[in-house]
Amino acid sequence: MKDILYVYMFGVFSLRYGDRNVTPEKNTTKKSMQLLQILLYHRKEGITRERLLHALYGERNVENPSNNLKVVTYQLRKKLMAAGLPQWNYIENKGGIYYWNAPMEIRSDVETFGELLQKVRMEADAEKCMELCCEACRCYKGEFLSNLSGEEWVMMESTRLREQYFQALSEAEKALKERKRYLDLLDLCNDAIGMYPFEEWQAVKIDCLMAMNRFREAMDVYEATTRMYFEEMGLPPSDRMLDRLRDMGSKIYTSTQAASNITSILQEKEPRKAGAYFCGFPSFIDGYRMMRRVVERHGESVYMMVCTLTDAKGNHLEDRERIETMTPVLREAIGKSLRSGDVYSMYSPTQFVLLLFGTQGGGCGLIRERILKAFSAEHRSWRECVKFYATSVIDVGHPVEDMEFQNVFFA
């Protein structure tokens, strides 16, 4: 049986010939290796000398580029044969167009991916179309030539291929959900999450788990995802993720319970501490909306306050090390400074939102001073690193998730 050269360009570039790895060089960013990757990618149609030089050197001024290309070509031929490939020319120049020329059959994951997508476009049968989409998604193993991600031509191709992958994944998602093939969709989602953790394929994973009545696992995915967004990007959960949370909440407790069991479930699990009640931001949204209705009906005085960490000049704090140091201190200061009937939550790693019950406008200033005193107890300069915004709940003109917290401060 004739040996085949397998070319892997999704993720880190590598080659396999027969049953062994033959990648000529561990450092795949060297010019000879870049030349190899360019020629293999353009192996069917070839690449002009001008485009090849631009892909290799970009806008950099290279002394005697023709001679440079000859040297790199010579180095590549030597490396290919030293890696265990048969003695051959491999690089062919016909009228200024460079081609990959090899004696063995080539199978490239990028080419296979493109061929599968072409079959999807031509296929009329919905079942076959779904299977082709799934196969294409499984073929995609990561960003195109991730080792060369800084090269202009790679960035352009990587963007195009990534968009094709997401489109195929979306089509597979729709078809698999219609057929209730949640385990297959779960596998595709896990692959997507591993490659692109911030594209929110966790939401689809949650859908799959809930459809299979695996609600606790779905909640674990939600909590891990929102924690990752806070820690890595400083972002709250999106509306899409909040919708999944509410849906989970409506399904987790589905069995009929005795009244005593229900009241037991509602109790705080941790020993009750002095000070305000801390909750997750999705719960804070529901609490805010409920209190707004109470205020509208009974005229209670409830204020909302936002505390934002800044640098010493009053600009939004972006220093990650300082955020990691100051945020826990601010959280503790807020908890201690509020009453047990008040509620607060973290909106982002640098912002907290507070609901203050029975507080008048002047009381907000006192609360502000208590928070600042506790926050700057050990570092007096920190007093200048918190900005406050406060308003009566009845005066808030927009739902909480639409408010721009970052730019409105308590004077």
Side-chain angles (χ1 to χ4, degrees):
M1 182 178 174
K2 188 177 180 181
D3 282 335
I4 298 169
L5 180 64
Y6 293 91
V7 180
Y8 303 101
M9 293 189 175
F10 286 128
V12 177
F13 174 76
S14 65
L15 299 175
R16 184 165 60 85
Y17 183 54
D19 58 355
R20 64 189 187 279
N21 177 42
V22 291
T23 308
E25 177 80 53
K26 287 185 178 180
N27 184 355
T28 53
T29 63
K30 286 191 173 182
K31 289 303 174 190
S32 57
M33 290 299 292
Q34 288 189 45
L35 175 61
L36 173 61
Q37 292 163 84
I38 294 166
L39 291 173
L40 284 169
Y41 186 65
H42 293 282
R43 73 182 187 88
K44 289 187 175 179
E45 76 280 8
I47 182 170
T48 65
R49 178 180 175 279
E50 290 74 20
R51 285 182 62 201
L52 178 56
L53 287 172
H54 183 77
L56 279 173
Y57 301 109
E59 301 298 329
R60 296 184 291 273
N61 289 323
V62 178
E63 188 176 342
N64 199 344
S66 296
N67 188 60
N68 250 286
L69 185 55
K70 288 179 182 178
V71 171
V72 172
T73 300
Y74 173 76
Q75 290 173 342
L76 176 57
R77 287 195 182 104
K78 284 185 64 178
K79 288 179 179 180
L80 288 171
M81 286 173 278
L85 290 180
Q87 192 87 14
W88 203 260
N89 188 38
Y90 290 107
I91 304 160
E92 193 172 27
N93 180 2
K94 292 182 180 179
I97 299 178
Y98 285 77
Y99 295 90
W100 172 261
N101 174 34
M104 74 286 289
E105 180 184 347
I106 308 291
R107 292 187 188 173
S108 162
D109 57 353
V110 172
E111 290 177 11
T112 301
F113 178 73
E115 290 164 2
L116 288 168
L117 295 183
Q118 182 64 27
K119 289 179 181 178
V120 169
R121 289 188 284 270
M122 302 296 291
E123 183 57 64
D125 183 85
E127 193 73 23
K128 290 180 180 177
C129 188
M130 178 195 67
E131 295 298 343
L132 288 167
C133 279
C134 292
E135 192 177 348
C137 291
R138 287 190 286 268
C139 182
Y140 188 97
K141 299 296 186 183
E143 288 282 287
F144 171 68
L145 293 180
S146 59
N147 50 293
L148 297 180
S149 58
E151 299 296 324
E152 181 183 351
W153 76 275
V154 173
M155 286 190 284
M156 293 175 62
E157 291 303 301
S158 180
T159 300
R160 182 181 65 83
L161 291 165
R162 186 191 315 123
E163 289 174 354
Q164 290 180 345
Y165 167 66
F166 285 145
Q167 183 178 351
L169 188 55
S170 296
E171 292 177 10
E173 174 199 350
K174 182 180 178 182
L176 290 169
K177 278 183 175 179
E178 287 175 355
R179 291 160 177 78
K180 302 187 186 308
R181 289 175 53 177
Y182 299 113
L183 284 174
D184 292 329
L185 181 53
L186 201 58
D187 287 340
L188 295 182
C189 284
N190 285 330
D191 290 341
I193 293 166
M195 292 183 285
Y196 301 105
F198 297 108
E199 293 292 333
E200 290 202 354
W201 286 101
Q202 294 91 337
V204 180
K205 182 175 182 178
I206 288 170
D207 289 343
C208 293
L209 293 170
M210 289 197 299
M212 294 185 288
N213 296 324
R214 292 159 61 177
F215 301 120
R216 291 299 179 186
E217 290 178 65
M219 182 64 76
D220 290 342
V221 173
Y222 171 83
E223 290 176 351
T225 303
T226 53
R227 185 166 57 250
M228 177 188 68
Y229 267 68
F230 269 135
E231 292 174 355
E232 298 294 329
M233 299 179 69
L235 295 175
S238 68
D239 289 344
R240 190 182 184 201
M241 293 298 288
L242 290 174
D243 287 342
R244 264 61 178 192
L245 178 68
R246 294 190 181 96
D247 198 18
M248 279 187 284
S250 68
K251 293 178 179 177
I252 287 175
Y253 301 108
T254 55
S255 60
T256 301
Q257 297 280 343
S260 59
N261 290 340
I262 294 174
T263 55
S264 175
I265 290 169
L266 293 173
Q267 301 305 309
E268 294 182 39
K269 302 302 180 185
E270 301 296 329
R272 186 167 176 175
K273 298 179 181 179
Y277 178 74
F278 181 84
C279 64
F281 190 65
S283 300
F284 185 91
I285 292 174
D286 291 333
Y288 162 81
R289 290 172 177 167
M290 178 190 72
M291 287 314 305
R292 185 177 175 89
R293 291 186 177 214
V294 171
V295 168
E296 289 173 350
R297 182 172 180 178
H298 298 290
E300 299 285 343
S301 178
V302 180
Y303 269 73
M304 187 183 75
M305 181 180 287
V306 181
C307 307
T308 305
L309 280 173
T310 69
D311 60 22
K313 297 180 180 179
N315 301 314
H316 182 68
L317 186 61
E318 297 181 352
D319 186 320
R320 182 162 182 166
E321 191 172 315
R322 282 176 62 82
I323 290 172
E324 291 176 352
T325 301
M326 299 171 80
T327 296
V329 179
L330 181 57
R331 173 176 169 169
E332 185 177 358
I334 292 170
K336 289 180 178 178
S337 301
L338 305 185
R339 296 163 298 186
S340 61
D342 297 327
V343 177
Y344 70 112
S345 180
M346 179 184 285
Y347 177 76
S348 77
T350 59
Q351 291 185 306
F352 290 87
V353 285
L354 293 56
L355 276 180
L356 312 172
F357 297 93
T359 300
Q360 302 297 324
C364 291
L366 296 175
I367 292 169
R368 172 182 180 271
E369 287 303 313
R370 287 204 298 267
I371 293 172
L372 286 175
K373 183 178 179 180
F375 179 62
S376 60
E378 296 187 14
H379 305 276
R380 296 180 65 181
S381 62
W382 283 13
R383 184 179 175 85
E384 306 303 320
C385 296
V386 188
K387 290 287 183 86
F388 295 81
Y389 162 80
T391 183
S392 170
V393 165
I394 200 66
D395 292 331
V396 176
H398 303 283
V400 109
E401 65 266 34
D402 292 333
M403 292 186 61
E404 291 293 336
F405 290 147
Q406 287 86 344
N407 299 316
V408 282
F409 300 119
F410 181 78

